[in-house]
Every structure is written in structure tokens, then in C-alpha cells.
Amino acid sequence: MSKKFDVIIIGAGPAGYHAAIRSAQLGLNTACIDKWISKEGKPVYGGTCLNVGCIPSKALLDTSHKYIEATENFDVLGIKVKGVSVDIEAMIARKDQIVENLTKGVAGLMKANGVTTFDGAAKLHAGRVVEVTLHDGKVESLEADNIVIATGSVPVAIPPCPLTDDIIVDSTGALDFKSVPKKLGVIGAGVIGLELGSVWMRLGAEVVVLEALEDFLPMADKQVAKEAAKQLKKQGMDVRLGARVTGSKIKGKKVNVIYSDGEGEKTETFDRLIVAVGRRPYTEGLLAAGSGVNLDERGFIHVNDLCATSAPSIYAVGDVVRGPMLAHKGMEEGLMVVERIAGQKPLVNYDCVPSVIYTHPEVAWVGKTEQELKAAGDKFNVGTFPMAASGRAMAANDTTGFIKVIADEETDRILGVHMIGGHVSELIAEAVIAMEFESSAEDLGLTMFAHPTLSEGLHEAALAVSGHAIHIANRRKKK
Ligand code: FAD
Ligand code: AMP
């Protein structure tokens, strides 16, 4: 006999566990299934984000940033420290502890909210029947009025660089190095490649990033991308654009990587190589014939704007569907879907998804870039404020970067906000709120910001749209 639920959620990553908890909060009888096994061999929730993604990468970015602060910047602040060193084992253990605390926390939240959990692999059959193969080998049959698929994504592998146990790794392997590689190669100058490359570079590795595209961070505002490239180069990161990796050869404890660029074929030797060429939707073993759920040409589960699949009452959210592969995008989709199942009418505003790169300086943006607006023929005004003019940034000895506000020329409505600088991962939320409320640049300009804060940079950039920023020369010509 199969167990019956109102909602079954497949996957307990950020998209799935948000959906599960909200579903239970709304009084729906909810089950959530996940097959993740931790490196200690235990079933855990939280998916990629908590186990091998957002959280562990930020733990290592924080350690390595503080190390750089101590070794390179404390002096300027008048702090004398001697003999600073990093204990890699302790750094990794701290990261693992954070992961454990958070994954246990999610398990606790599921329980506290009354979600019934199943630890095992789910397969979706016709008629919204889900067969779960539990980790102990037993098979359970579940049924529900509604199914939410949130099975996420996995790293893309490339044939020229098959993973090895210790030399060629993906992003997961790069979170667990036991020592700092002398020379580290990274394939892919995407967000993950730059973040993980930064971690090990700050700790002493010589880092070379090989990127097939000619453009650096093509999805970001051009001016921001240019500044990010400049700052990373200054820190020692050797980013080679137009460099497509075509092969690799393990030689003892090193790897020879073959790549081609405009000048021809080249080889570079590394102690470690991180393959960070993107992620792909994960649906292996998920869909039985007749499930009614269709994939698109790139392997994502095909959904409409409301995350409904081609099968009635079956939804899909998070990395396994179109859109940016970001935890917060999946979380909002998960909430939307179950709230709609419960009869509410929320929508996800895909125009207001913030993007963040946690390098130093950090990069963050929301909305349209100047190049996108120009391509669409839209008319706009731009206000920019350099962090070098911020009193708080000066006080913190962290004055790189700028904040840019783009507003519609006619209506002054904010169309995009682009930031590079310290802590902009936090500041971008202010821009998202403004855009969510369809604020004009003037609205932001009329809002009071605490002084002295980095946030004032956003205030000043918004004022600069009309030439009214106080702390920079920004007089606009009369039209
Ligand atoms: P996932 O987190 O991948 O979870 C899917 C879950 O489904 C997994 O637990 C899996 O075990 C389970 N599952 C799959 N198939 C089945 C099945 N058949 N049966 C049962 N269970 C199944 N995003 C950000 O927004 N900010 C960041 O800073 C950030 N940093 C990142 C850093 C790294 C190194 C990586 C790799 C990713 C990062 N991401 C970041 C991306 C983020 O992790 C993903 O966007 C997010 O985890 C997607 O959530 P999800 O719930 O859709 O899928
Ligand atoms: P993202 O998808 O944002 O994580 O970025 C992955 C990056 O890897 C993209 O910018 C790709 O252009 C890049 N990439 C993919 N395959 C290769 C390859 N064989 N050599 C170099 N770069 C690659």
C-alpha cells in the first residue's frame, strides 16, 4: 500500500527544503525525499548549497580573506602581527563543522514543521506515484496530489580533463584540498572558478585560470567586469581569456594541461587542476517512462513561468529548471509553487534576481546592464559613485570599486544596479528592494541612509543619476 501525501518534494536542496517547510506551514501533508550522503556517510539535507556549494565556499573565502587581511593589510591599520600562518586542516574542519550545523539545522526544521522525510532515491512514475529506494535498500511507494521536483544540478565534466582522486578535481574536490597547491590551474572563469581560485590564491597558490571565451564575466556590467579583472590580476590571478582546454595528461603528481588560444596550442603544468566549467541539471534515474514530465533540449525540466511541468500537478524548481543556477532563485520558486498549491497567488519576479560573486572585491548586480539596454535601444541615465569617495570605505581601508545605478531616461525608474567593492553582496539587497518596489532613482535619493556606511554609496550613485551626488563632481549638462 502506498503512503498518501498532499505534496511530495523530491530533493532537499535550498529549492526543495524551502518548498517542504512552507508546504507544511500551510497545513499540507508534506513528504520530502533526498538521497544525499555526506562525506562521513550520513544522509543529509541542504543539497549542493549547504554541502558542497554556497556555504562551504564562503567559509573558505572568509578564512582566506582574513588571512590576506592579516598578512597584507593589518600593517596599514597599525596592527603589527608576526608569524601569521594558515592551518589548512583547521580551516577545512571549521568549514565542515558549519556544513554539519546547517544540514542538521535543516533536518531539525523539517521535523519541527512536520515534514515527513525519506532518505533515498526517488523515481517518478505515471499517476504521481513516487518510488523511493531507501539507503537500506527497502523500497517505499508514495503518492501525492502534487509533486515538486527539486533535484538540482551537478558539475559539468569535460572529456579532455577526466577527474582523478587528487589532481584533477571539480568544485567539490576543491573544497577539500589538504594543502595549498604550489601551482593551481582552474578551467572556467565563471563565478565558481573565480571564487575557488581566489581561496587558494590567497593562501599562496600561483593560480592560472583558463577561459574559453574572449570576454571576462560577459554577464556582468562591462565596467564592473573590467574592474574585477584588474583587481584579480593585481592580486596575482593569471586569467587567460580565449584559452580553450583540449586535453590533459597526468605526469606523476602533476598534470599537463593542453589548451589552444589565438596563438596556437600551448601546455601548462599544474600541481592541481579545478574543472569549473559550469553545472548541468540533474535528472538521472528520476523519471520513469510515462511520468509525463518533459525535458528541454538542454536537459532542464521544461516548465512555464509558474514552474508547472508538462504533467498536471507536477512542478519543478531550482537548478533543474531554466534560469540562473542560484540558491535564492530556487528558494523563491519553491515557495511560490507550494503557496500556489495552497491557493495563494504569488509570482517570482525574475527581473529582480540578484547575482553575487564573492571574490574580493565582491561583485553584485540586479537588473539590466548598460550593454543589454543599449542593445535593446533603451534610453537611460547612469549615476556612478566610487568607493574611494566613501568615508566608511576609507575607514575600513577598502576603497576599491564603485556603485552604478541605471535609470530610465524618461521615467527615472531603476533598471539596474551594479556594484563592485567590499561587502557589496550585502548592499545589493537594498537595490533589489528598491527595484521590487519599482523605485525611481529619485526615490532612493530621497531616502535617508545612515552615515557613515557603505550603503551611502548607493544613495550617492542614485543621486548621481540626476547629477546631484554630494561627494563627487557630477554636474550634468542642462538638456
Ligand atoms: P541542489 O542544491 O543541487 O539540491 C538538489 C537535491 O536533490 C540534492 O540534495 C540531491 O541529493 C537531491 N536529489 C537529486 N535527485 C534525487 C532523486 N532522484 N531522489 C532524491 N533526491 C534527489 N548559489 C548561490 O546562490 N550563491 C552562492 O554563493 C553559490 N555558491 C556556490 C558555490 C559552489 C562551489 C557551487 C557548486 C554552487 C554554488 N551555488 C551558489 C549554486 C547553488 O548551490 C545552487 O544554485 C543550489 O544549490 C540549487 O538548489 P537546488 O535545491 O535546486 O538543488
Ligand atoms: P559558469 O558556467 O558561469 O560556471 O562558467 C564556466 C566557464 O567555463 C564558462 O565561462 C565557459 O566558457 C568555460 N569553459 C567551458 N569549457 C571550457 C574549456 N574546455 N576550456 C576553457 N574554458 C571552458
Side-chain angles (χ1 to χ4, degrees):
M1 261 260 302
S2 63
K3 293 183 179 154
K4 282 220 66 171
F5 293 91
D6 295 327
V7 184
I8 293 175
I9 289 144
I10 305 177
Y17 84 73
H18 274 68
I21 290 173
R22 178 58 49 82
S23 173
Q25 284 172 343
L26 293 169
L28 299 164
N29 182 16
T30 305
C32 185
I33 309 157
D34 200 294
K35 63 178 183 178
W36 198 289
I37 297 280
S38 71
K39 60 181 183 181
E40 292 80 27
K42 293 190 188 125
V44 281
Y45 307 128
T48 304
C49 170
L50 263 50
N51 289 287
V52 295
C54 322
I55 298 297
S57 59
K58 266 79 254 176
L60 301 188
L61 279 157
D62 267 304
T63 298
S64 58
H65 180 62
K66 287 185 172 122
Y67 174 70
I68 286 287
E69 286 288 284
T71 50
E72 293 182 6
N73 299 333
F74 273 12
D75 224 24
V76 184
L77 305 179
I79 305 170
K80 301 285 173 206
V81 284
K82 281 205 185 91
V84 179
S85 63
V86 171
D87 177 344
I88 300 294
E89 205 181 320
M91 174 182 83
I92 300 289
R94 184 188 86 97
K95 180 262 297 177
D96 289 343
Q97 189 61 56
I98 296 165
V99 169
E100 190 184 324
N101 293 349
L102 285 170
T103 53
K104 277 192 179 151
V106 170
L109 288 169
M110 296 264 227
K111 196 169 173 207
N113 281 284
V115 176
T116 307
T117 52
F118 295 88
D119 301 334
K123 189 174 201 117
L124 179 63
H125 292 266
R128 293 191 295 277
V129 170
V130 178
E131 181 191 275
V132 186
T133 307
L134 300 167
H135 291 313
D136 63 9
K138 289 195 189 111
V139 176
E140 291 243 27
S141 179
L142 318 178
E143 263 178 69
D145 295 335
N146 302 277
I147 308 270
V148 183
I149 300 171
T151 51
S153 63
V154 289
V156 168
I158 48 170
C161 298
L163 303 190
T164 64
D165 278 346
D166 51 355
I167 299 178
I168 308 181
V169 298
D170 59 13
S171 59
T172 301
L175 296 167
D176 273 332
F177 286 166
K178 299 215 161 25
S179 59
V180 180
K182 200 159 178 294
K183 187 159 177 181
L184 173 67
V186 179
I187 311 180
V191 177
I192 294 174
L194 294 178
E195 290 185 3
L196 294 174
S198 287
V199 166
W200 296 105
M201 175 179 72
R202 293 169 186 173
L203 300 176
E206 179 191 342
V207 174
V208 178
V209 182
L210 301 169
E211 167 56 55
L213 298 177
E214 296 288 346
D215 276 350
F216 183 64
L217 295 177
M219 64 293 194
D221 178 87
K222 262 196 176 14
Q223 202 185 345
V224 168
K226 196 172 160 206
E227 181 66 17
K230 184 175 140 196
Q231 294 302 331
L232 289 171
K233 188 172 177 199
K234 216 165 129 190
Q235 290 162 27
M237 192 180 278
D238 178 357
V239 180
R240 300 185 193 167
L241 299 174
R244 176 168 293 279
V245 173
T246 53
S248 66
K249 255 195 205 100
I250 300 284
K251 277 267 164 83
K253 286 193 171 345
K254 292 185 192 282
V255 55
N256 290 342
V257 173
I258 301 118
Y259 68 96
S260 52
D261 61 14
E263 296 166 356
E265 196 170 276
K266 294 181 178 164
T267 302
E268 193 76 55
T269 304
F270 300 108
D271 299 293
R272 286 281 170 99
L273 180 66
I274 305 174
V275 181
V277 295
R279 298 180 61 80
R280 62 176 174 85
Y282 183 69
T283 54
E284 260 87 305
L286 175 70
L287 303 171
S291 72
V293 172
N294 293 334
L295 304 184
D296 70 16
E297 55 290 349
R298 295 192 300 148
F300 290 92
I301 292 182
H302 179 71
V303 288
N304 66 11
D305 282 354
L306 300 175
C307 295
T309 69
S310 40
S313 302
I314 301 182
Y315 306 86
V317 295
D319 280 10
V320 79
V321 303
R322 84 296 172 253
M325 286 185 165
L326 293 169
H328 42 280
K329 172 262 192 188
M331 293 171 184
E332 292 305 315
E333 288 179 334
L335 298 178
M336 171 188 73
V337 160
V338 293
E339 285 170 359
R340 283 192 161 260
I341 289 170
Q344 301 175 6
K345 297 281 176 243
L347 291 171
V348 170
N349 183 356
Y350 289 100
D351 291 333
C352 276
V353 181
S355 296
V356 177
I357 310 175
Y358 296 80
T359 45
H360 190 84
E362 292 180 340
V363 170
W365 72 91
V366 57
K368 298 268 191 274
T369 59
E370 277 195 61
Q371 61 265 26
E372 280 172 327
L373 291 166
K374 274 184 196 146
D378 294 337
K379 297 259 184 297
F380 55 89
N381 289 322
V382 176
T384 305
F385 184 78
M387 286 309 204
S390 154
R392 185 64 196 273
M394 276 182 233
N397 186 37
D398 196 3
T399 53
T400 46
F402 58 87
I403 295 179
K404 180 194 274 194
V405 173
I406 308 175
D408 186 279
E409 189 180 273
E410 209 172 307
T411 63
D412 193 41
R413 184 171 163 181
I414 300 173
L415 303 174
V417 177
H418 304 271
M419 306 178 164
I420 176 163
H423 303 284
V424 298
S425 57
E426 300 294 337
L427 301 196
I428 198 65
E430 299 169 5
V432 178
I433 294 167
M435 286 185 63
E436 192 65 50
F437 286 90
E438 303 188 357
S439 161
S440 63
E442 187 184 26
D443 289 330
L444 265 188
L446 288 168
T447 305
M448 197 185 296
F449 285 68
H451 175 76
T453 56
L454 298 175
S455 297
E456 286 174 299
L458 177 60
H459 189 220
E460 288 276 73
L463 287 167
V465 169
S466 53
H468 287 159
I470 297 296
H471 296 91
I472 49 166
N474 64 150
R475 196 151 55 110
R476 274 200 189 278
K477 284 197 198 95
K478 283 218 166 66
K479 284 198 175 144

Coordinates of all heavy atoms in Angstrom, one line a residue, residues 128-192:
R128 N 1.5 10.3 -10.6 CA 2.1 10.9 -9.4 C 2.4 9.9 -8.3 O 2.2 10.1 -7.1 CB 1.2 12.1 -8.9 CG 1.1 13.2 -9.8 CD 0.4 14.4 -9.2 NE -0.9 14.2 -8.9 CZ -2.0 14.4 -9.7 NH1 -1.7 14.7 -11.0 NH2 -3.2 14.1 -9.3
V129 N 2.9 8.8 -8.7 CA 3.4 7.8 -7.8 C 4.9 7.9 -7.8 O 5.6 8.0 -8.8 CB 3.0 6.4 -8.3 CG1 3.7 5.3 -7.5 CG2 1.5 6.2 -8.3
V130 N 5.5 8.0 -6.5 CA 6.9 8.1 -6.4 C 7.4 6.9 -5.7 O 7.0 6.5 -4.6 CB 7.3 9.4 -5.6 CG1 8.8 9.5 -5.4 CG2 6.7 10.6 -6.3
E131 N 8.4 6.2 -6.3 CA 9.0 5.0 -5.7 C 10.3 5.5 -5.1 O 11.1 6.1 -5.7 CB 9.2 4.0 -6.8 CG 9.8 2.7 -6.4 CD 10.2 1.9 -7.6 OE1 9.4 1.3 -8.2 OE2 11.4 2.1 -8.0
V132 N 10.5 5.2 -3.8 CA 11.7 5.6 -3.1 C 12.5 4.4 -2.7 O 12.1 3.5 -2.0 CB 11.4 6.4 -1.8 CG1 12.7 7.0 -1.2 CG2 10.4 7.5 -2.0
T133 N 13.8 4.4 -3.2 CA 14.7 3.3 -2.8 C 15.5 3.9 -1.7 O 16.4 4.7 -1.8 CB 15.6 2.9 -4.0 OG1 14.8 2.6 -5.1 CG2 16.5 1.7 -3.6
L134 N 15.2 3.4 -0.5 CA 15.8 3.9 0.7 C 17.3 3.5 0.8 O 17.7 2.5 0.1 CB 15.1 3.5 2.0 CG 13.6 4.0 2.0 CD1 12.8 3.2 3.1 CD2 13.5 5.5 2.3
H135 N 18.1 4.2 1.6 CA 19.5 3.8 1.6 C 19.7 2.4 2.2 O 20.8 1.8 1.9 CB 20.3 4.8 2.5 CG 20.4 6.2 1.9 ND1 20.7 6.4 0.5 CD2 20.1 7.4 2.3 CE1 20.7 7.7 0.2 NE2 20.3 8.3 1.3
D136 N 18.8 1.9 2.9 CA 19.0 0.5 3.4 C 18.5 -0.5 2.4 O 18.4 -1.7 2.6 CB 18.3 0.3 4.7 CG 16.8 0.5 4.7 OD1 16.2 0.6 3.5 OD2 16.1 0.5 5.7
G137 N 18.1 -0.1 1.2 CA 17.7 -1.0 0.1 C 16.2 -1.2 0.0 O 15.7 -1.7 -1.0
K138 N 15.5 -0.9 1.1 CA 14.0 -1.1 1.1 C 13.4 -0.1 0.1 O 13.9 1.0 -0.1 CB 13.4 -0.8 2.5 CG 13.8 -1.9 3.5 CD 12.9 -1.8 4.7 CE 13.3 -2.7 5.8 NZ 13.9 -2.0 6.9
V139 N 12.2 -0.5 -0.5 CA 11.5 0.4 -1.4 C 10.2 0.8 -0.9 O 9.4 -0.1 -0.4 CB 11.4 -0.3 -2.8 CG1 10.6 0.6 -3.8 CG2 12.8 -0.7 -3.4
E140 N 9.9 2.1 -0.9 CA 8.6 2.6 -0.4 C 7.8 3.2 -1.6 O 8.5 3.8 -2.5 CB 8.8 3.7 0.6 CG 9.4 3.3 1.9 CD 8.4 3.5 3.0 OE1 7.2 3.5 2.8 OE2 8.9 3.7 4.1
S141 N 6.5 3.0 -1.6 CA 5.8 3.7 -2.7 C 4.9 4.8 -2.1 O 4.2 4.6 -1.1 CB 4.9 2.6 -3.3 OG 4.1 3.2 -4.3
L142 N 5.0 6.0 -2.6 CA 4.3 7.1 -2.1 C 3.4 7.7 -3.3 O 3.8 7.5 -4.4 CB 5.3 8.2 -1.7 CG 6.5 7.9 -0.9 CD1 7.4 9.1 -0.6 CD2 6.2 7.2 0.4
E143 N 2.4 8.4 -2.9 CA 1.5 9.0 -3.9 C 1.2 10.4 -3.4 O 1.1 10.6 -2.2 CB 0.2 8.3 -3.9 CG 0.1 7.3 -5.0 CD -1.3 6.6 -4.9 OE1 -2.3 7.2 -5.1 OE2 -1.3 5.4 -4.5
A144 N 0.9 11.4 -4.3 CA 0.5 12.7 -3.8 C -0.3 13.4 -4.9 O -0.3 13.1 -6.1 CB 1.8 13.5 -3.6
D145 N -1.1 14.4 -4.4 CA -1.9 15.2 -5.3 C -1.0 16.1 -6.1 O -1.3 16.5 -7.2 CB -2.9 16.0 -4.5 CG -3.9 15.1 -3.8 OD1 -4.2 14.0 -4.3 OD2 -4.5 15.6 -2.8
N146 N 0.1 16.5 -5.5 CA 1.1 17.4 -6.1 C 2.5 16.9 -5.9 O 2.8 16.5 -4.8 CB 0.9 18.8 -5.5 CG -0.5 19.4 -5.6 OD1 -0.9 19.9 -6.6 ND2 -1.2 19.2 -4.5
I147 N 3.3 17.1 -6.9 CA 4.7 16.7 -6.8 C 5.5 18.0 -7.2 O 5.2 18.7 -8.1 CB 5.1 15.6 -7.8 CG1 4.1 14.4 -7.7 CG2 6.6 15.2 -7.7 CD1 4.5 13.4 -6.8
V148 N 6.6 18.2 -6.4 CA 7.5 19.3 -6.7 C 8.9 18.6 -6.9 O 9.5 18.0 -6.0 CB 7.6 20.3 -5.6 CG1 8.6 21.4 -6.0 CG2 6.2 20.9 -5.3
I149 N 9.5 18.8 -8.1 CA 10.8 18.2 -8.4 C 11.8 19.3 -8.1 O 11.7 20.4 -8.6 CB 10.9 17.7 -9.8 CG1 9.9 16.7 -10.1 CG2 12.3 17.2 -10.2 CD1 9.7 16.3 -11.6
A150 N 12.8 19.0 -7.3 CA 13.9 20.0 -7.0 C 15.2 19.2 -6.9 O 15.9 19.3 -5.9 CB 13.5 20.6 -5.6
T151 N 15.5 18.5 -8.0 CA 16.7 17.6 -7.9 C 18.0 18.3 -8.3 O 19.0 17.7 -8.3 CB 16.4 16.4 -8.8 OG1 16.0 16.9 -10.1 CG2 15.4 15.5 -8.3
G152 N 18.0 19.6 -8.6 CA 19.2 20.4 -8.6 C 20.1 20.1 -9.8 O 19.6 19.8 -10.9
S153 N 21.4 20.3 -9.6 CA 22.4 20.2 -10.7 C 23.6 19.6 -10.2 O 23.9 19.4 -8.9 CB 22.7 21.6 -11.1 OG 23.3 22.4 -10.1
V154 N 24.5 19.2 -11.1 CA 25.8 18.6 -10.8 C 26.9 19.3 -11.7 O 26.5 19.8 -12.7 CB 25.8 17.1 -11.0 CG1 25.0 16.4 -9.9 CG2 25.4 16.7 -12.4
P155 N 28.2 19.2 -11.3 CA 29.2 19.8 -12.1 C 29.2 19.2 -13.5 O 29.1 18.0 -13.6 CB 30.5 19.6 -11.4 CG 30.1 19.2 -10.0 CD 28.7 18.6 -10.1
V156 N 29.5 20.0 -14.5 CA 29.7 19.5 -15.9 C 31.1 18.9 -15.9 O 32.1 19.5 -15.4 CB 29.6 20.7 -16.9 CG1 30.1 20.2 -18.3 CG2 28.2 21.2 -17.0
A157 N 31.3 17.8 -16.5 CA 32.6 17.2 -16.7 C 33.0 17.4 -18.2 O 32.1 17.5 -19.0 CB 32.5 15.7 -16.4
I158 N 34.3 17.6 -18.4 CA 34.7 17.7 -19.8 C 35.7 16.5 -20.2 O 36.6 16.2 -19.4 CB 35.3 19.1 -20.2 CG1 36.4 19.5 -19.2 CG2 34.2 20.1 -20.3 CD1 37.2 20.7 -19.6
P159 N 35.4 15.9 -21.3 CA 36.3 14.8 -21.7 C 37.8 15.0 -21.7 O 38.5 14.2 -21.3 CB 35.8 14.4 -23.1 CG 34.4 15.0 -23.2 CD 34.4 16.2 -22.3
P160 N 38.3 16.3 -22.1 CA 39.7 16.5 -22.0 C 40.3 16.4 -20.6 O 41.5 16.1 -20.5 CB 39.9 17.9 -22.5 CG 38.6 18.3 -23.2 CD 37.6 17.4 -22.6
C161 N 39.5 16.5 -19.6 CA 40.1 16.5 -18.2 C 39.3 15.6 -17.3 O 38.5 16.1 -16.4 CB 40.1 17.9 -17.7 SG 41.2 19.0 -18.6
P162 N 39.4 14.3 -17.4 CA 38.6 13.4 -16.5 C 39.1 13.6 -15.1 O 40.3 13.8 -14.9 CB 38.9 12.0 -17.1 CG 40.1 12.2 -18.0 CD 40.2 13.6 -18.4
L163 N 38.2 13.6 -14.1 CA 38.6 13.8 -12.7 C 39.5 12.6 -12.2 O 39.3 11.5 -12.7 CB 37.4 13.9 -11.8 CG 36.4 15.0 -12.2 CD1 35.3 15.2 -11.1 CD2 37.0 16.4 -12.5
T164 N 40.4 13.0 -11.4 CA 41.2 11.9 -10.7 C 41.0 12.1 -9.2 O 40.3 13.0 -8.8 CB 42.7 12.1 -11.0 OG1 43.1 13.4 -10.4 CG2 43.0 12.2 -12.5
D165 N 41.5 11.2 -8.4 CA 41.2 11.3 -7.0 C 41.8 12.6 -6.4 O 41.2 13.2 -5.5 CB 41.8 10.1 -6.2 CG 40.8 9.0 -6.3 OD1 39.6 9.2 -6.7 OD2 41.1 7.8 -6.0
D166 N 43.0 12.9 -6.8 CA 43.7 14.0 -6.1 C 44.2 15.1 -7.0 O 44.4 16.2 -6.5 CB 44.8 13.4 -5.2 CG 45.7 12.5 -6.1 OD1 45.4 12.3 -7.2 OD2 46.8 12.1 -5.6
I167 N 44.4 14.9 -8.3 CA 45.0 16.0 -9.0 C 44.0 16.8 -9.8 O 43.9 18.1 -9.7 CB 46.1 15.5 -10.0 CG1 47.2 14.8 -9.1 CG2 46.7 16.6 -10.8 CD1 48.3 14.1 -9.9
I168 N 43.1 16.2 -10.6 CA 42.1 16.9 -11.3 C 40.7 16.8 -10.6 O 40.2 15.6 -10.4 CB 41.9 16.4 -12.8 CG1 43.3 16.4 -13.5 CG2 40.9 17.3 -13.5 CD1 43.2 15.9 -14.9
V169 N 40.2 17.9 -10.1 CA 39.0 17.8 -9.3 C 37.9 18.8 -9.8 O 38.2 19.7 -10.6 CB 39.3 18.2 -7.8 CG1 40.3 17.2 -7.1 CG2 39.8 19.6 -7.7
D170 N 36.7 18.6 -9.3 CA 35.7 19.5 -9.6 C 35.5 20.5 -8.4 O 36.4 20.4 -7.5 CB 34.4 18.8 -10.0 CG 33.8 17.9 -8.9 OD1 34.4 18.0 -7.7 OD2 32.9 17.1 -9.1
S171 N 34.5 21.3 -8.4 CA 34.3 22.3 -7.3 C 34.3 21.6 -5.9 O 34.8 22.1 -4.9 CB 33.1 23.2 -7.5 OG 31.9 22.4 -7.6
T172 N 33.7 20.4 -5.9 CA 33.6 19.7 -4.6 C 34.9 19.3 -4.1 O 35.3 19.5 -2.9 CB 32.7 18.4 -4.8 OG1 31.4 18.8 -5.3 CG2 32.5 17.6 -3.5
G173 N 35.8 18.8 -5.0 CA 37.1 18.4 -4.6 C 38.0 19.6 -4.1 O 38.8 19.5 -3.2
A174 N 37.7 20.8 -4.8 CA 38.5 22.0 -4.5 C 38.1 22.5 -3.1 O 38.8 23.5 -2.6 CB 38.2 23.0 -5.5
L175 N 37.1 22.0 -2.5 CA 36.7 22.5 -1.1 C 37.4 21.7 0.0 O 37.3 21.9 1.2 CB 35.2 22.3 -0.9 CG 34.3 23.2 -1.8 CD1 32.9 22.8 -1.7 CD2 34.4 24.7 -1.4
D176 N 38.2 20.7 -0.5 CA 38.8 19.7 0.5 C 40.3 19.5 0.3 O 40.8 18.4 0.7 CB 38.0 18.4 0.4 CG 36.8 18.4 1.3 OD1 36.9 19.1 2.4 OD2 35.8 17.7 1.1
F177 N 41.0 20.4 -0.4 CA 42.4 20.2 -0.5 C 43.1 20.1 0.8 O 42.7 20.8 1.8 CB 43.1 21.4 -1.3 CG 42.8 21.5 -2.8 CD1 43.0 22.6 -3.5 CD2 42.3 20.4 -3.4 CE1 42.8 22.7 -4.8 CE2 42.0 20.4 -4.8 CZ 42.3 21.6 -5.5
K178 N 44.1 19.2 0.9 CA 44.7 19.0 2.3 C 45.9 20.0 2.4 O 46.4 20.1 3.5 CB 45.2 17.6 2.4 CG 44.0 16.6 2.4 CD 44.1 15.5 3.3 CE 42.8 14.8 3.6 NZ 41.7 14.9 2.6
S179 N 46.4 20.5 1.3 CA 47.5 21.5 1.4 C 47.3 22.5 0.2 O 46.5 22.3 -0.7 CB 48.8 20.8 1.2 OG 48.8 20.1 0.0
V180 N 48.0 23.6 0.3 CA 47.9 24.6 -0.7 C 48.7 24.2 -1.9 O 49.9 24.0 -1.8 CB 48.4 26.0 -0.2 CG1 48.3 27.0 -1.3 CG2 47.7 26.4 1.0
P181 N 48.1 24.0 -3.1 CA 48.9 23.6 -4.3 C 49.9 24.7 -4.6 O 49.5 25.9 -4.5 CB 47.9 23.4 -5.4 CG 46.6 23.8 -4.8 CD 46.7 24.2 -3.4
K182 N 51.1 24.3 -5.1 CA 52.0 25.3 -5.5 C 51.5 26.1 -6.7 O 51.4 27.3 -6.7 CB 53.4 24.7 -5.8 CG 54.5 25.6 -5.7 CD 55.8 24.8 -5.5 CE 57.0 25.7 -5.5 NZ 57.3 26.3 -6.8
K183 N 51.1 25.3 -7.7 CA 50.6 25.9 -8.9 C 49.2 25.3 -9.2 O 49.1 24.0 -9.4 CB 51.6 25.7 -10.1 CG 51.1 26.4 -11.3 CD 52.3 26.7 -12.3 CE 51.8 27.3 -13.5 NZ 52.9 27.6 -14.5
L184 N 48.2 26.1 -9.3 CA 46.8 25.6 -9.4 C 46.2 26.1 -10.8 O 46.3 27.3 -11.0 CB 46.0 26.1 -8.3 CG 44.5 25.9 -8.3 CD1 44.1 24.4 -8.2 CD2 43.8 26.6 -7.2
G185 N 45.7 25.2 -11.5 CA 45.0 25.6 -12.8 C 43.5 25.5 -12.5 O 43.0 24.7 -11.7
V186 N 42.8 26.5 -13.1 CA 41.3 26.5 -13.0 C 40.8 26.5 -14.4 O 41.2 27.4 -15.1 CB 40.8 27.7 -12.1 CG1 39.3 27.7 -12.1 CG2 41.4 27.7 -10.7
I187 N 39.9 25.6 -14.8 CA 39.3 25.7 -16.1 C 37.9 26.4 -15.9 O 37.1 25.8 -15.2 CB 39.2 24.4 -16.8 CG1 40.5 23.6 -16.7 CG2 38.7 24.6 -18.2 CD1 40.4 22.2 -17.4
G188 N 37.8 27.5 -16.5 CA 36.5 28.3 -16.4 C 36.6 29.5 -15.5 O 36.9 29.3 -14.3
A189 N 36.4 30.6 -16.1 CA 36.4 31.9 -15.3 C 35.0 32.3 -14.9 O 34.6 33.5 -15.0 CB 37.1 33.0 -16.0
G190 N 34.1 31.3 -14.6 CA 32.8 31.6 -14.1 C 32.9 32.0 -12.6 O 34.0 32.1 -12.1
V191 N 31.7 32.1 -12.0 CA 31.7 32.5 -10.6 C 32.4 31.5 -9.7 O 33.2 31.8 -8.9 CB 30.2 32.6 -10.2 CG1 30.1 33.0 -8.7 CG2 29.5 33.7 -11.0
I192 N 32.1 30.2 -10.0 CA 32.7 29.2 -9.1 C 34.2 29.1 -9.3 O 35.0 29.0 -8.3 CB 32.0 27.8 -9.4 CG1 30.5 27.9 -8.9 CG2 32.7 26.7 -8.7 CD1 29.7 26.7 -9.2

